[in-house]
Amino acid sequence: MKRVKGDVCLITSLMAKRAPCCQPMVTSRDVAQLAGVSQATVSRVLHGNPNVDEGRRRRVLEALAATGYVVNASARAMRTSRTGTVGVVAGRITNPFYPELIDAIGRELTIAGTRMILWTAGGSSEPAAVDAIRGGAVDGVILTTATSESVSLKAAVDRHAPIVLVNRSIAGGSCDQVTSDNVAGGRLVADYFLKHGHTKIAMIGQNDASSTSRHRREGFVERLGEAGIQAHHGPKLMAEFSHAVGRRVGLELLSRKDRPTALFCADDQLAFGALDAARELKLSVPGDLWVVGYDDVEMAAWSSFDLTTVRQPIADMAQAAVSMLRRRITQPDRPTEHRCFDPKLIIRGSSGVLASTRGSSVS
Amino acid sequence: MKRVKGDVCLITSLMAKRAPCCQPMVTSRDVAQLAGVSQATVSRVLHGNPNVDEGRRRRVLEALAATGYVVNASARAMRTSRTGTVGVVAGRITNPFYPELIDAIGRELTIAGTRMILWTAGGSSEPAAVDAIRGGAVDGVILTTATSESVSLKAAVDRHAPIVLVNRSIAGGSCDQVTSDNVAGGRLVADYFLKHGHTKIAMIGQNDASSTSRHRREGFVERLGEAGIQAHHGPKLMAEFSHAVGRRVGLELLSRKDRPTALFCADDQLAFGALDAARELKLSVPGDLWVVGYDDVEMAAWSSFDLTTVRQPIADMAQAAVSMLRRRITQPDRPTEHRCFDPKLIIRGSSGVLASTRGSSVS
DNA sequence: CTGAAAGCGCTTACAG
DNA sequence: CTGAAAGCGCTTACAG
């Protein structure tokens, strides 16, 4: 490889010869001509219509293979009002929960022979996706990001556009939804802390623009309340789920004289940040502090974090979302549905033995 | 939220009343009728054609707004042979390098008003993406995964289909490419180790199916060779870039009596695994072992890893890939181009002071 | 079983 | 400046 000075080396290799352009598109008419049948017959063979003479079918099949014919997506879409493409909106793709979810959704869509248009560009994504339904660029949309209510979404839902919400709820609720039970998940964590004798229990979450985080907080605070305990220093509700936020708030909370002994982070990414804060402050986890996250992303199991966390069944949720959307597309008038999966507490090394209770009989 | 026993609670809310279906699509003909002009005039207004009477234009604009018209993507695509959609193939989206790259590409595409179809389903993605070009579902494709040569890709490139390879090379090279200089990156790391007196230098990479990893290894081994040094225990070339592989091979290498003092991982994900291996073996980093990764994903800067690594300029590469693809689409016959960005060594805490050389004069 | 034909919603010469 | 019309490549009644 040649190098040139400067930041970038630019190698422009002039091709000596080159076809005039890309090969022209092969149409079903071309295939028909080659096979000596009508274009309609080619279309019938393509759709497995049984009413085609075997000899003709074979000739068409041969012509199809010989030409490498691929059906034109736009033409088919225009005729059938079905694109074979679904939209997915995911905000913060740098939070590893989303790649895992998108991957799972993509897998399901591929099985169904459906393409996936992905929007990750923040606020403009949702209106773009909704417009894509109206413009016939996609057959429907899966919204995976818990952003605040938007006008375009509301209008689309009122119009009964094929939309499925994943981990996100909307006022009115007249929309298909897949969630995990975030209230129950929050309770699970509070319960776990209480059962092991914690009383100084803190929480970091996202502000209430995120329904996901709000529900986790509600369940958590509700369960603490039942034990007569309040969140230590109050729940910290920040603008986003990120490592930087988890670390910053973690440093702040854990530097206090009256620091918590247990910390619930409403998202694994926050928990990783908080664990780093603890590490930087030379606090032992779980000796001085228990940390519990939410999502159980792959990284949570890495030995660097070994994070106790609440698992959402991502694969199941993706499968449910895709099949609900497909049903909604084919049967627009069916009643809306809400599938809610049970979360599960996965206990790892970031919780377990607290130094102060070591040897005590708190179960 | 109601809960039902069992794994999943299924809430089916029957909607009392519901519109017969989604609102019927608004066509430009509808808009024309409302504005009292011909459909052609609506199309002209939509395209900013200046030859439209101002009064009529205003009436059309009003009708457009009143109906909430959105142009039909399939019809436009069929007429213009342009979909406004580009395909992106990314294999292992769970490796955080890909989300960062996809995010950057998505951002560029959004700016250009282009949609992104994403394929992440492994081996079948590439043929699917190539077929999508032929089937007119996308205008072009960006291939970001260094998989082995495929027949369909070869054929597509020969056909001069609009394809840009990112971090991936192909025999013949008659295809637009964006890379960072992986050979130079490998050399940078070797050079850094050598300069600080390391002699027991190991490497973990991917097997040669990945051109990326191969180039990094070549530069690395080449530079070591110039100093008369061979990779300690030979380069370990595994099937994939993953935390699990990095940890497993790390445990294996670092458990040996004659363990290396410096380890180059051809990918950050491998490096995180290796760091975890070192941690599990109670080795001090960088006291006993230096670890250097490749990519500089966001996580590399987290204090849990604090990883010295080779940065690829992801945003620049994404921008280059998108603009190259757009040019290729509009000018299919322009000469192919190869842009190669310079990598940069980012020094962090996973390297720096080796216990054995501490106080010595090795610069 | 088969082909000619209508029509999906656009864009854009073409004729006025 | 404007509208009528052709045509992009399909699918699918329709008539035979």
Side-chain angles (χ1 to χ4, degrees), chain B residues 126 130 143 148-161 163 165 168 170-175:
Chain B
E126 197 175 281
V130 168
L143 297 176
S148 56
E149 310 275 320
S150 82
V151 187
S152 60
L153 173 59
K154 196 89 185 66
V157 167
D158 288 345
R159 204 188 313 123
H160 302 294
I163 293 176
L165 304 183
R168 181 184 200 304
I170 187 179
S174 58
C175 186

Side-chain angles (χ1 to χ4, degrees), chain B residues 208-252:
Chain B
D208 286 358
S210 153
S211 60
T212 315
S213 180
R214 188 178 68 242
H215 291 146
R216 291 171 193 170
R217 174 178 57 74
E218 284 169 1
F220 183 74
V221 167
E222 181 183 277
R223 180 68 190 87
L224 290 189
E226 289 168 17
I229 289 182
Q230 290 201 329
H232 203 55
H233 302 303
K236 303 292 174 194
L237 303 179
M238 316 307 292
E240 54 171 29
F241 284 157
S242 75
H243 179 274
V245 162
R247 178 174 167 275
R248 182 160 47 77
V249 179
L251 285 173
E252 197 261 306

Side-chain angles (χ1 to χ4, degrees), chain A residues 112-351:
Chain A
T114 305
R115 286 177 288 263
M116 171 173 72
I117 292 187
L118 180 68
W119 281 276
T120 62
S124 66
S125 295
E126 198 176 279
V130 167
D131 275 356
I133 300 177
R134 304 202 67 193
V138 297
D139 297 329
V141 162
I142 296 175
L143 296 177
T144 72
T145 307
T147 56
S148 55
E149 311 275 319
S150 82
V151 187
S152 59
L153 173 60
K154 196 91 186 65
V157 166
D158 287 345
R159 205 188 312 123
H160 301 295
I163 293 177
V164 173
L165 304 182
V166 175
N167 250 345
R168 180 183 200 306
S169 59
I170 187 178
S174 58
C175 185
D176 292 317
Q177 296 179 32
V178 176
T179 52
S180 71
D181 190 335
N182 289 296
V183 175
R187 290 186 64 91
L188 230 41
V189 177
D191 205 54
Y192 176 60
F193 287 160
L194 292 168
K195 201 180 294 176
H196 289 81
H198 288 276
T199 53
K200 297 184 185 173
I201 301 176
M203 167 176 178
I204 309 175
Q206 199 175 354
N207 62 41
D208 286 356
S210 153
S211 60
T212 316
S213 180
R214 187 178 70 243
H215 290 146
R216 291 171 194 170
R217 174 178 58 73
E218 284 168 1
F220 183 73
V221 167
E222 180 184 279
R223 181 67 191 87
L224 290 188
E226 289 168 18
I229 290 183
Q230 290 201 329
H232 202 54
H233 303 302
K236 304 291 175 194
L237 303 179
M238 316 306 293
E240 53 170 31
F241 284 158
S242 73
H243 179 275
V245 163
R247 179 174 167 278
R248 180 159 49 74
V249 180
L251 285 173
E252 196 263 305
L253 271 174
L254 301 174
S255 305
R256 301 193 183 195
K257 240 190 246 136
D258 187 28
R259 61 173 162 73
T261 62
L263 175 60
F264 171 40
C265 298
D267 163 75
D268 285 347
Q269 201 79 345
L270 288 175
F272 299 142
L275 284 173
D276 277 358
R279 199 180 323 240
E280 290 172 40
L281 295 170
K282 313 267 190 239
L283 291 175
S284 152
V285 174
D288 299 317
L289 174 76
W290 289 20
V291 177
V292 173
Y294 209 109
D295 285 346
D296 193 27
V297 299
E298 263 186 32
M299 282 167 54
W302 293 7
S303 56
S304 13
F305 301 113
D306 200 18
L307 179 69
T308 296
T309 186
V310 179
R311 176 180 296 167
Q312 303 196 70
I314 293 186
D316 295 338
M317 292 170 71
Q319 187 171 19
V322 169
S323 69
M324 271 166 68
L325 184 59
R326 299 186 66 208
R327 276 199 299 264
R328 171 68 50 213
I329 289 167
T330 50
Q331 307 165 44
D333 292 327
R334 66 202 308 276
T336 56
E337 208 179 301
H338 181 173
R339 288 194 67 178
C340 174
F341 289 84
D342 284 344
K344 188 179 170 189
L345 184 67
I346 306 294
I347 296 178
R348 296 204 183 89
S350 69
S351 66

Side-chain angles (χ1 to χ4, degrees), chain A residues 1-15 17-26 67-75 77-78 81 83 85 91-94 98-100 102-103 106-107 110 115-121 124 131-132 134-138 158-162 172-175 179-184 187 215 222 243-244 247 269 272-273 276-277 279-280 298-299 301-305 316 328 332-342, chain B residues 1-15 17-26 67-75 77-78 81 83 85 91-94 98-100 102-103 106-107 110 115-121 124 131-138 158-162 172-175 179-184 187 215 243-244 247 269 272-273 276-277 279-280 298-299 301-305 316 328 332-342:
Chain A
M1 183 186 298
K2 270 173 247 145
R3 311 238 182 75
V4 190
K5 268 170 283 187
D7 195 17
V8 166
C9 67
L10 179 61
I11 304 174
T12 301
S13 53
L14 280 98
M15 303 302 298
K17 46 191 168 230
R18 160 181 280 289
C21 175
C22 327
Q23 277 172 16
M25 188 190 294
V26 177
T67 55
Y69 172 82
V70 178
V71 67
N72 182 281
S74 302
M78 177 138 61
S81 309
T83 61
T85 304
R92 307 208 66 255
I93 198 184
T94 45
Y98 288 106
E100 292 186 19
I102 291 168
D103 208 36
R107 207 181 305 279
T110 298
R115 286 177 288 263
M116 171 173 72
I117 292 187
L118 180 68
W119 281 276
T120 62
S124 66
D131 275 356
R134 304 202 67 193
V138 297
D158 287 345
R159 205 188 312 123
H160 301 295
S174 58
C175 185
T179 52
S180 71
D181 190 335
N182 289 296
V183 175
R187 290 186 64 91
H215 290 146
E222 180 184 279
H243 179 275
R247 179 174 167 278
Q269 201 79 345
F272 299 142
D276 277 358
R279 199 180 323 240
E280 290 172 40
E298 263 186 32
M299 282 167 54
W302 293 7
S303 56
S304 13
F305 301 113
D316 295 338
R328 171 68 50 213
D333 292 327
R334 66 202 308 276
T336 56
E337 208 179 301
H338 181 173
R339 288 194 67 178
C340 174
F341 289 84
D342 284 344
Chain B
M1 184 185 300
K2 272 173 247 145
R3 309 237 184 79
V4 191
K5 267 171 284 188
D7 194 16
V8 166
C9 67
L10 180 62
I11 304 173
T12 301
S13 52
L14 280 97
M15 304 302 298
K17 44 191 169 228
R18 158 182 284 287
C21 174
C22 327
Q23 276 172 16
M25 188 189 295
V26 177
T67 54
Y69 172 81
V70 178
V71 66
N72 182 282
S74 302
M78 178 141 60
S81 309
T83 60
T85 303
R92 307 208 67 254
I93 198 183
T94 44
Y98 288 108
E100 294 189 17
I102 291 167
D103 208 35
R107 204 181 306 278
T110 298
R115 287 177 289 264
M116 172 172 73
I117 292 186
L118 180 67
W119 281 274
T120 62
S124 65
D131 275 356
I133 300 178
R134 305 202 66 193
V138 297
D158 288 345
R159 204 188 313 123
H160 302 294
S174 58
C175 186
T179 51
S180 71
D181 190 334
N182 289 297
V183 175
R187 290 186 65 92
H215 291 146
H243 179 274
R247 178 174 167 275
Q269 202 78 345
F272 299 140
D276 276 358
R279 196 176 331 234
E280 290 172 41
E298 263 185 33
M299 283 167 54
W302 291 8
S303 57
S304 15
F305 301 114
D316 296 337
R328 170 68 50 211
D333 292 328
R334 64 201 310 278
T336 55
E337 210 180 301
H338 181 173
R339 287 193 67 179
C340 176
F341 288 84
D342 284 342

